[in-house]
Amino acid sequence: MSSEAGEGVEEPNEAEAVTSEEAPEVAPAPESPEWIELPDGEELNEEQAGETMKVTPSKVILVAGEDDTGKTSLLCGVYERFLSGEFAGHLFCGSRTLRAFERRSFLQRAESERPEPDMQRTRLPAGQLALLHLELKSKSSPERTALLATDLAGEAFRLIRNDPKECERYPVLGRVDCVTVLLDAERLISDERHGHVNSSRTTLRSMLQSEKLRAGVPIILALSKWDAVTAAAEPQAREDALAVLAPARGNPTEIVKIAAAPIASGAVKAGYGLQGLLRTWLGAEPPAGEVPQGNAVDLEPSSAFDLYRGEGT
Ligand SMILES: Nc1nc2c(ncn2[C@@H]2O[C@H](COP(=O)(O)OP(=O)(O)OP(=O)(O)O)[C@@H](O)[C@H]2O)c(=O)[nH]1
Ligand SMILES: [Mg+2]
């Protein structure tokens, strides 16, 4: 029987012998892979910062000050505090600029084998913006906040001091929620005192005159390198801080003392004053003032900041 039945019938090849029930399910052809762009960890430019602001409620902080006043050290100091856990009632959820923080922070760490914490000078062509980013979550609420802080070179502020029009190079000024001007307390007890106070005041005046900042934006005067100041010199430093704030009559102001990277042998601990400052940054309410008109003209229509201008104001 079997031989008859098989006569003239070709033996099915192995593939054909598999019935449809037995056939392994063929996975649908994969769609073309979706590429997910991971952040490169470097500083953000305006457009990248704008993308972040689109998805996460943000606080934009302008960190201003002359050369060497401790602007970059301040930002790294805040980042470093989160490496050992919660800080200022907040938890660290991530950063799009980790490489940028790490590169800057190295010289402040013991592993750099420097006798004292150090920091490379910020070298950034005038007009180029660099923002550092931290995504934080308050312990008492599920909401996340993106902290976006400028890390500009002192040179940028020297140019602004000489000409308020320099502010036009930084459309981000119209989005700033809090200005923090650093006044180097170490210089206040040296013969550079008067020059440093005068030029810091002129820089602040120039930024306000430019009308690029929102009206009523809070201005914090941070006396940096506070470890260098003795108790006896404190009243004079406060007087100097008030003198720098003189042009900011229409803005809420505050004076704080900080030591982001004090000398190792001193009594002041690294990160002194940063907790209060960070709380102030995160609590800064958007100023009631409109985004300055000047920015509407100066911004490229395609600039990501354009999308958010006016929101929350
Ligand atoms: N004693 C002391 N020195 C500090 C402190 N914070 C920063 N410094 C030092 O001050 C110097 C300048 O710090 P930076 O953070 O580079 O200052 P900057 O304002 O970013 O400088 P530019 O980028 O050149 O404008 C570095 O040698 C720091 O180590 C501090 O709290 N105490
Ligand atoms: Mg710097």
Side-chain angles (χ1 to χ4, degrees):
M1 280 280 285
S2 63
S3 65
E4 275 172 38
E7 254 177 67
V9 178
E10 273 185 20
E11 281 291 317
N13 65 29
E14 232 175 89
E16 286 166 341
V18 179
T19 65
S20 58
E21 286 98 319
E22 290 164 339
E25 263 182 32
V26 179
E31 284 174 20
S32 58
E34 252 181 49
W35 294 102
I36 299 171
E37 209 170 304
L38 292 172
D40 64 6
E42 300 295 352
E43 303 83 355
L44 303 185
N45 59 27
E46 298 235 4
E47 196 181 338
Q48 292 162 326
E51 288 159 13
T52 294
M53 292 169 77
K54 189 156 70 169
V55 289
T56 316
S58 305
K59 297 290 177 197
V60 182
I61 314 298
L62 175 69
V63 180
E66 295 197 329
D67 283 354
D68 257 12
T69 45
K71 301 179 291 298
T72 306
S73 299
L74 162 60
L75 299 174
C76 289
V78 172
Y79 165 69
E80 289 280 320
R81 303 279 92 57
F82 283 105
L83 297 185
S84 45
E86 68 174 78
F87 183 61
H90 283 75
L91 302 167
F92 175 80
C93 305
S95 167
R96 290 183 69 191
T97 57
L98 275 183
R99 275 173 67 109
F101 273 122
E102 283 296 314
R103 202 172 342 93
R104 287 163 168 76
S105 296
F106 179 72
L107 294 180
Q108 302 212 316
R109 295 187 183 145
E111 69 211 46
S112 71
E113 296 182 357
R114 298 260 166 156
E116 295 296 345
D118 204 356
M119 178 59 70
Q120 276 190 347
R121 293 193 68 173
T122 305
R123 303 203 182 279
L124 199 66
Q128 192 173 321
L129 183 67
L131 290 134
L132 295 172
H133 166 253
L134 288 175
E135 189 159 319
L136 304 173
K137 190 189 95 58
S138 157
K139 269 173 66 195
S140 55
S141 99
E143 280 245 330
R144 291 179 176 206
T145 305
L147 186 74
L148 291 158
T150 63
D151 188 22
L152 295 173
E155 173 66 6
F157 294 101
R158 191 185 63 77
L159 294 171
I160 287 173
R161 185 174 85 221
N162 292 336
D163 183 1
K165 281 205 171 70
E166 279 288 318
C167 291
E168 288 170 15
R169 293 174 181 250
Y170 305 97
V172 72
L173 292 187
R175 290 297 311 167
V176 164
D177 296 299
C178 178
V179 177
T180 300
V181 179
L182 269 63
L183 190 64
D184 185 339
E186 203 171 25
R187 266 178 250 180
L188 298 183
I189 51 170
S190 75
D191 52 13
E192 290 180 51
R193 178 188 172 199
H194 293 294
H196 188 45
V197 170
N198 285 340
S199 50
S200 302
R201 183 180 44 224
T202 313
T203 304
L204 179 57
R205 180 181 294 125
S206 190
M207 287 195 291
L208 294 167
Q209 270 176 357
S210 77
E211 297 187 344
K212 295 293 166 195
L213 292 163
R214 287 185 278 191
V217 68
I219 296 176
I220 299 183
L221 190 297
L223 286 158
S224 62
K225 309 186 192 176
W226 192 250
D227 52 301
V229 177
T230 59
E234 194 166 339
Q236 178 189 297
R238 203 182 149 70
E239 208 178 284
D240 291 341
L242 288 170
V244 172
L245 285 172
R249 273 186 222 97
N251 304 66
T253 57
E254 193 181 327
I255 299 171
V256 300
K257 301 174 274 189
I258 59 167
I263 50 164
S265 54
V268 175
K269 282 211 176 119
Y272 174 83
L274 300 194
Q275 179 153 217
L277 181 56
L278 179 61
R279 284 186 200 273
T280 305
W281 283 354
L282 292 168
E285 289 299 322
E290 288 294 311
V291 171
Q293 282 306 301
N295 281 301
V297 177
D298 298 331
L299 274 174
E300 288 288 317
S302 59
S303 161
F305 274 97
D306 239 358
L307 299 170
Y308 319 113
R309 193 174 332 113
E311 265 180 28
T313 55

